[in-house]
Amino acid sequence: MASVLNPVSSIRLSSTMTAPRRTPPNSPPNSLTLSRRRLMVRAAETDANEVKAPAPEKAPVAAGSSVNQILGIKGAKQETDIWKIRVQLTKPVTWPPLVWGVVCGAAASGNFHWTVDDVAKSIVCMIMSGPCLTGYTQTLNDWYDREIDAINEPYRPIPSGAISENEVITQIWVLLLGGLGLAGLLDVWAGHDFPILFYLAIGGSLLSYIYSAPPLKLKQNGWIGNFALGASYISLPWWAGQALFGTLTPDIIVLTLLYSIAGLGIAIVNDFKSVEGDRALGLQSLPVAFGAETAKWICVGAIDITQISVAGYLLGSGKPYYALALLGLILPQVFFQFKYFLKDPVKNDVKYQASAQPFLVLGLLVTALATSH
């Protein structure tokens, strides 16, 4: 047994048995036998220790968060429930800015009233903008980003194979058609002669497609792609809310497009975590094109300078209190930029957005209320 389990012990035992040895005259006759037995016992003990030695422990696998999974952000738990996976693809964490944009547009119209009819219309508009059309956009983006995600976030549903190609395509179409259907319903409900909400939904959906899909794939260019994303999150829902309850005017279109430059800055925040995959596939995001150090300053500059410019516009329009309120909301954003984002834009992106963005969206509401008076 020792020779099978431990060749080294076998060699030692064999050499002891065969090597010439002179026994001292006074030694007992069985001394050689005792020596052999001691060696055999030691060999057996060595073999037993080797057999019983515990296997090295495997590195623990970090458990993902169920909350992160539902919200569609990094650190998500691996799921097998197809409906939870479908929700994850729509990234509910991205819905609130769109919902808030509808609120701002309704406020800017000056015609929203706290009646059952107006509240019901606003809720349907929020569902159209958030779960339906933003869900369509996010699912579509994940589909066309599957190769990048295989590098940056291989645990996501599509690159990990948790959801099939047919299921993803079906979800894209259902969300798109659902959003367009709700837009048409709202036009009828509001009594519009021209279906402005339907055409806004068509335009936003087309913008989402060319943002993610070839051959245009706007996201390949950091400037154009991020501005398109910012406009989708700030201008389009505002326009929808204002058109639903009032009239969409040229000055509001210009003002919200200016505000979309701040949205460009917000979009850059998400580019830092994708640098490796973007560089591998030739996407010129700003962190890839300029480097992380320069890109993070472009990011915060776009966010802060835009809001300061809007505050200046409000001040020049004879609305100093609204301008001061907006400036007051910029200060905590700057504080969190230095506390989190500028220190480490990759590690602290979620902390920064959770801390700073509420003040930015409140600034949007301040601006909307200012334009309604």
Side-chain angles (χ1 to χ4, degrees):
M1 175 63 77
S3 63
V4 174
L5 295 178
N6 194 334
V8 175
S9 299
S10 175
I11 293 170
R12 290 175 180 170
L13 182 59
S14 175
S15 62
T16 304
M17 292 175 66
T18 56
R21 182 177 176 181
R22 182 175 298 174
T23 305
N26 295 329
S27 64
N30 60 350
S31 62
L32 181 58
T33 302
L34 290 174
S35 298
R36 291 174 182 171
R37 287 178 180 172
R38 291 190 188 100
L39 286 171
M40 291 176 70
V41 169
R42 289 174 185 169
E45 289 174 350
T46 302
D47 295 339
N49 289 337
E50 289 182 2
V51 171
K52 294 179 182 179
E57 295 182 2
K58 294 181 179 180
V61 179
S65 166
S66 297
V67 174
N68 289 13
Q69 188 274 326
I70 288 295
L71 293 178
I73 58 180
K74 63 183 180 181
K77 175 185 177 182
Q78 295 290 304
E79 263 295 345
T80 56
D81 186 318
I82 187 61
W83 291 107
K84 289 183 178 181
I85 291 170
R86 288 189 182 281
V87 173
Q88 181 180 359
L89 283 176
T90 66
K91 293 186 182 176
V93 73
T94 62
W95 301 351
L98 281 295
V99 171
W100 191 256
V102 172
V103 172
C104 292
S109 72
N111 292 322
F112 176 83
H113 303 94
W114 288 100
T115 63
V116 172
D117 189 65
D118 280 4
V119 170
K121 282 191 289 190
S122 65
I123 290 173
V124 173
C125 192
M126 291 172 187
I127 294 172
M128 175 198 74
S129 301
C132 289
L133 294 182
T134 304
Y136 150 78
T137 299
Q138 294 296 344
T139 307
L140 183 75
N141 187 63
D142 266 24
W143 173 249
Y144 284 106
D145 272 3
R146 58 192 184 277
E147 294 180 359
I148 297 176
D149 287 342
I151 299 172
N152 295 320
E153 300 176 90
Y155 57 83
R156 288 199 60 77
I158 296 175
S160 68
I163 187 170
S164 70
E165 175 180 342
N166 288 336
E167 289 169 327
V168 174
I169 300 300
T170 299
Q171 176 161 320
I172 290 171
W173 278 107
V174 168
L175 292 172
L176 173 60
L177 295 177
L180 296 179
L182 289 178
L185 171 66
L186 287 169
D187 278 319
V188 174
W189 196 348
H192 291 158
D193 295 327
F194 178 79
I196 183 169
L197 288 165
F198 181 77
Y199 279 105
L200 284 175
I202 287 283
S205 302
L206 178 61
L207 182 62
S208 297
Y209 181 80
I210 64 175
Y211 172 80
S212 298
L216 295 179
K217 198 161 184 148
L218 299 181
K219 68 182 299 178
Q220 292 181 115
N221 183 292
W223 293 108
I224 298 174
N226 285 332
F227 182 76
L229 194 61
S232 298
Y233 274 79
I234 293 177
S235 298
L236 284 173
W238 182 315
W239 296 351
Q242 185 154 351
L244 179 60
F245 294 102
T247 303
L248 186 59
T249 57
D251 59 323
I252 290 296
I253 292 175
V254 172
L255 180 63
T256 52
L257 285 175
L258 174 62
Y259 231 123
S260 296
I261 298 174
L264 177 150
I266 296 170
I268 296 172
V269 175
N270 296 317
D271 289 337
F272 287 90
K273 66 182 180 184
S274 305
V275 168
E276 183 181 350
D278 289 349
R279 185 180 288 118
L281 296 178
L283 299 184
Q284 288 299 302
S285 67
L286 295 187
V288 171
F290 294 96
E293 195 64 27
T294 301
K296 69 184 184 183
W297 286 103
I298 295 175
C299 174
V300 299
I303 294 171
D304 298 343
I305 292 172
T306 297
Q307 293 178 91
I308 292 170
S309 300
V310 172
Y313 165 79
L314 295 179
L315 184 62
S317 301
K319 298 171 182 176
Y321 296 112
Y322 289 102
L324 288 174
L326 183 55
L327 288 173
L329 290 168
I330 296 171
L331 294 177
Q333 294 178 61
V334 173
F335 171 77
F336 288 118
Q337 286 164 0
F338 279 94
K339 182 177 181 180
Y340 293 128
F341 185 72
L342 292 173
K343 284 185 177 179
D344 192 334
V346 177
K347 181 181 177 182
N348 297 328
D349 60 336
V350 175
K351 286 183 181 179
Y352 165 67
Q353 294 194 69
S355 303
Q357 280 198 21
F359 297 98
L360 185 142
V361 298
L362 283 175
L364 278 170
L365 183 59
V366 167
T367 305
L369 293 171
T371 58
S372 69
H373 290 82

